[in-house]
Amino acid sequence: MAEVLDRVTKIIVDRLGVDESEVKLEASFKEDLGADSLDVVELVMELEDEFDMEISDEDAEKIGTVGDAVSYIESKM
Amino acid sequence: MMKLDGKTAIVTGASRGIGRSIAIELAKNGANVVVNYSGNEEKAKETAREVESAGTKALVFKADVSNADDVQAMLKETLSEFGSIDILVNNAGITKDNLLMRMKEDDWDQVMDINLKSVFLTTKAAARPMMKQRKGKIINVSSIVGVMGNAGQANYVASKAGVIGLTKTSAKELAARGINVNAVAPGFIETDMTGELPPDVQEAMKQMIPLDRFGKPEDIAKAVVFLASDDADYITGQTIHIDGGMVM
């Protein structure tokens, strides 16, 4: 859990230019972290590369918060 | 140093006609080219040989561009062979002409799939690596009939008008990631496709062309090279008519 969260956090910090302390599990990419729709698409692309997995468009649409991303990735590992 | 040195381009439908000419012109300007085809392997290989004799690398790839799996496979192979995708030229197209009242549903569907859905599929696939590199050029081959309409080509015209709408929308969506999307709208160009038209139709069309001649595939290819180059960095969402002034 901690390891996935660390890697996800690093990507979010790099991509969205937010402070690490803002990246909480309940944080919404769009509402709390200032991402637009295309940023979220890009984040998902980077997560796919980082964790070497494919995230379908249907699944990607359900990822709205940091916690959604972390639990999705863990369920696929 | 040429305009497109070190760039990689995918040209769909590159075995013949305008696509072939675009592939060769891109190569002459320094780009490696993926020569996509669906039916005619021999012709595709000929195009590839011309690309290679221009001094760059060619990869011949058979793919039905209206099939998402085929498109994914082509993108994957391009990335593993050349390491990037910088230019995508959506040129593949077919006609199944008939009067609206006689047109079969199948002929409508096939033309829409190959001429329009393909552009959606390849754009979606190529935008991914382009977004990552924060740079990319997508050039869609529409047609002047997509602007003006043409009796007997309801399916083709609708698909080509659709390409213009898709060009504008993908230009807006992808602009923030450094990707330019433009279209060219060829008029009457001398190719196998237009060679099938009856002589009287050809003559009637010529009278509508202020520059008083039919275009050549190279006329299109040169505009595509420009749109694919850094010279066109500030142009996006546009449709350039290359038609001898037929539609202004």
Side-chain angles (χ1 to χ4, degrees):
Chain A
M1 175 80 194
E3 194 236 1
V4 171
L5 178 60
D6 285 349
R7 287 159 74 186
V8 170
T9 301
K10 185 174 183 312
I11 287 172
I12 294 168
V13 168
D14 284 351
R15 173 56 59 209
L16 300 180
V18 293
D19 196 85
E20 207 176 309
S21 64
E22 295 174 73
V23 187
K24 302 185 181 97
L25 284 177
E26 64 275 16
S28 152
F29 292 116
K30 289 190 189 167
E31 272 142 50
D32 302 315
L33 301 174
D36 65 19
S37 309
L38 204 54
D39 290 327
V40 178
V41 170
E42 275 194 312
L43 270 176
V44 170
M45 277 166 35
E46 294 207 17
L47 294 174
E48 288 181 318
D49 290 345
E50 172 72 22
F51 294 96
D52 195 23
M53 59 174 61
E54 290 211 10
I55 304 175
S56 70
D57 290 344
E58 289 78 16
D59 288 343
E61 277 173 21
K62 292 181 200 135
I63 297 176
T65 65
V66 176
D68 292 343
V70 171
S71 48
Y72 179 84
I73 290 162
E74 283 176 340
S75 75
K76 297 285 172 184
M77 284 176 92
Chain B
M1 176 84 185
M2 285 180 292
K3 270 183 186 178
L4 306 176
D5 266 347
K7 307 266 190 198
T8 298
I10 294 176
V11 182
T12 70
S15 57
R16 295 188 293 159
I18 292 174
R20 168 194 162 87
S21 183
I22 290 170
I24 294 165
E25 205 63 33
L26 288 169
K28 281 183 184 164
N29 284 275
N32 297 320
V33 182
V34 177
V35 177
N36 160 255
Y37 74 102
S38 65
N40 199 329
E41 187 179 7
E42 228 5 83
K43 288 274 184 194
K45 284 183 176 165
E46 266 177 41
T47 304
R49 278 194 289 275
E50 295 231 28
V51 165
E52 281 160 356
S53 66
T56 64
K57 290 184 203 142
L59 171 71
V60 175
F61 199 94
K62 181 183 169 83
D64 170 1
V65 284
S66 65
N67 177 299
D69 292 338
D70 276 22
V71 168
Q72 281 301 342
M74 178 166 69
L75 270 285
K76 213 173 154 193
E77 180 71 17
T78 303
L79 285 172
S80 81
E81 185 78 19
F82 297 118
S84 72
I85 298 170
D86 309 289
I87 300 158
L88 167 66
V89 183
N90 286 307
N91 165 78
I94 57 166
T95 54
K96 299 256 173 194
D97 297 351
N98 212 332
L99 289 174
L100 181 67
M101 300 304 291
R102 298 255 179 262
M103 189 171 287
K104 295 193 188 75
E105 194 178 339
D106 250 11
D107 290 344
W108 172 271
D109 288 342
Q110 270 188 48
V111 168
M112 292 305 271
D113 280 355
I114 293 180
N115 296 8
L116 181 57
K117 183 184 171 191
S118 65
V119 182
F120 159 66
L121 293 174
T122 56
T123 301
K124 190 176 168 187
R128 185 189 172 101
M130 287 179 178
M131 277 168 80
K132 283 191 187 165
Q133 65 197 22
R134 288 287 188 273
K135 197 166 173 60
K137 295 279 197 289
I138 299 174
I139 299 110
N140 298 325
V141 179
S142 177
S143 167
I144 202 65
V145 299
V147 180
M148 61 186 262
N150 199 25
Q153 293 196 301
N155 46 6
Y156 184 79
V157 168
S159 73
K160 292 301 187 180
V163 166
I164 294 174
L166 183 53
T167 299
K168 292 176 182 178
T169 298
S170 34
K172 286 188 176 183
E173 287 192 14
L174 299 172
R177 297 300 182 274
I179 302 170
N180 303 57
V181 189
N182 290 291
V184 291
F188 196 104
I189 308 299
E190 291 165 348
T191 63
D192 295 348
M193 196 190 272
T194 50
E196 287 166 13
L197 294 169
D200 56 320
V201 175
Q202 296 196 21
E203 201 42 50
M205 293 195 79
K206 210 171 185 177
Q207 287 181 4
M208 296 161 62
I209 304 171
L211 287 177
D212 199 31
R213 67 171 176 90
F214 297 145
K216 296 186 179 358
E218 296 74 43
D219 292 320
I220 310 304
K222 286 185 172 138
V224 170
V225 167
F226 166 68
L227 290 171
S229 75
D230 292 348
D231 294 342
D233 275 353
Y234 199 55
I235 303 174
T236 198
Q238 303 304 308
T239 300
I240 301 186
H241 298 181
I242 307 170
D243 63 352
M246 196 158 77
V247 175
M248 295 185 186

